[in-house]
Amino acid sequence: MKICKLSFRDMRNSAHFISSLLFILFFCTDLAFFGAEAIGVCYGRVGDNLPSPVEVAAMYTSHRIGKMRIYDADQETLHAFQNTGIQVTVGVPNENLPSIASSQDTANQWVADNIQPHYPTIQFKYISVGNEILPDTPFTANLFPAMKNIYTALQSLDLQNQIKVSTTMPMSVLSNSYPPSAGTFSPNIIPIMRPILNFLSQTKSPFMADVYPYFAYISDPKDISLAYALFQMKTPNEVGYKNLFDASVDALIYAMEALGHSDIPIVIAESGWPSNGNPNGGANISNAQIYNNNFIKHVLCGQGTPKRPNQTIEAFVFAMFNEDLKPGDITEKHFGLFQPTKAQVYPVNFTG
């Protein structure tokens, strides 16, 4: 047996080699937080006591939150996120859709005003044209034409492959979601969904969806267990699912397949759990902490869903802050991971 003897110089070189490897390891790990595997957090701003955008950008960086979704092209916010390395999804508000849908020049101007000045100092990932536009809401007829015009505006700048165009839909687009394999779009949404799905497939863009097990749970607590909603079930149910989130996502995938599209990825544009407002109905700090930590760990672990296994799911938690001016049920004001003071509402592991 040959015995290797290391000189001091060899050991010094070995130590240098090991330290270099460790640097690369930590550097690559840091990159993972700002890449495809990073969790996103939605930055809602419906409050009168929130930190400045510069402070918020620093919070995203310090907490290693790799992606941010904003609901409009607020210039102060976009300036604050320049050169942070954080991927940004920006929304086109619903009220802007009629003018953008009716005029390519208007769409070109929107991109020129809101995207071009910040690119590439901001890593724009997606533009969500409209938010939760359904047949019984205004602007339905404007949605698809606006998406096409924004895409054409990006195409004129050769940015259509760097920045993908989509829209965000709620789970209510489905008429049936259980079992997930029977997932189907509501008949009145199908005429809207067909051209949108064709567009997403052709442009290799994702279907963006808001998926909230909380709302499904509170609507039917007798048939949906809290453990199923909070990722706490140990064994699959009768249709092979251990959590309501996976079942919801797969129902959307099956619904797209029913319209001839099996190739469109899904991005979870919002998911979360309120920490206050209806404690007896499940809205409390304990459940919110359990859900959001389990949700982040689940989507980052790379297991995917039963329908699409072994795939990391790109997802955004809603929301960064408790927003005191949010309308609707009192719980709407309490989806935040942070207080306006920047204190965490409860501990969250953003790296899963």
Side-chain angles (χ1 to χ4, degrees), residues 305-352:
T305 67
K307 176 64 173 168
R308 290 182 177 172
N310 304 317
Q311 295 185 20
T312 301
I313 301 170
E314 192 169 0
F316 293 80
V317 181
F318 185 87
M320 191 68 173
F321 297 103
N322 285 335
E323 299 169 71
D324 64 340
L325 300 182
K326 283 290 291 288
D329 188 86
I330 188 65
T331 56
E332 293 290 336
K333 304 178 189 295
H334 296 282
F335 273 86
L337 304 177
F338 294 88
Q339 302 285 6
T341 61
K342 300 192 287 187
Q344 284 190 292
V345 179
Y346 45 83
V348 177
N349 180 0
F350 292 103
T351 67

Side-chain angles (χ1 to χ4, degrees), residues 97-285:
L97 300 192
S99 60
I100 290 174
S102 62
S103 168
Q104 185 61 58
D105 287 342
T106 302
N108 294 346
Q109 193 62 53
W110 188 93
V111 170
D113 290 343
N114 301 305
I115 302 298
Q116 198 172 1
H118 304 288
Y119 183 87
T121 57
I122 288 181
Q123 296 183 29
F124 289 108
K125 187 77 180 286
Y126 305 116
I127 297 175
S128 177
V129 181
N131 188 51
E132 297 194 347
I133 293 179
L134 298 171
D136 58 349
T137 58
F139 316 123
T140 302
N142 307 124
L143 177 56
F144 181 53
M147 292 175 66
K148 288 196 301 180
N149 285 352
I150 291 291
Y151 177 82
T152 299
L154 291 174
Q155 200 172 33
S156 69
L157 300 172
D158 199 27
L159 294 177
Q160 75 278 7
N161 295 323
Q162 287 73 39
I163 307 170
K164 297 298 184 178
V165 176
S166 188
T167 186
T168 301
M169 291 290 183
M171 283 297 297
S172 57
V173 295
L174 299 182
S175 60
N176 187 47
S177 61
Y178 191 85
S181 58
T184 50
F185 289 112
S186 300
N188 63 343
I189 198 75
I190 288 177
I192 299 169
M193 291 307 306
R194 281 192 188 278
I196 289 176
L197 293 178
N198 289 338
F199 170 84
L200 297 179
S201 179
Q202 291 164 5
T203 61
K204 302 186 185 317
S205 300
F207 181 90
M208 303 183 76
D210 295 342
V211 178
Y212 283 96
Y214 167 75
F215 291 117
Y217 165 70
I218 63 171
S219 69
D220 191 10
K222 290 183 179 180
D223 295 321
I224 299 175
S225 73
L226 186 60
Y228 188 54
L230 294 178
F231 298 93
Q232 291 182 312
M233 277 182 55
K234 301 301 182 184
T235 57
N237 62 10
E238 67 278 5
V239 293
Y241 286 83
K242 292 196 293 185
N243 64 79
L244 181 54
F245 173 81
D246 281 354
S248 302
V249 172
D250 280 357
L252 288 167
I253 294 172
Y254 278 107
M256 288 193 289
E257 283 193 356
L259 293 185
H261 293 283
S262 59
D263 60 332
I264 300 174
I266 284 187
V267 170
I268 307 306
E270 288 182 15
S271 191
W273 197 285
S275 61
N276 203 348
N278 184 13
N280 295 329
N284 56 59
I285 285 180

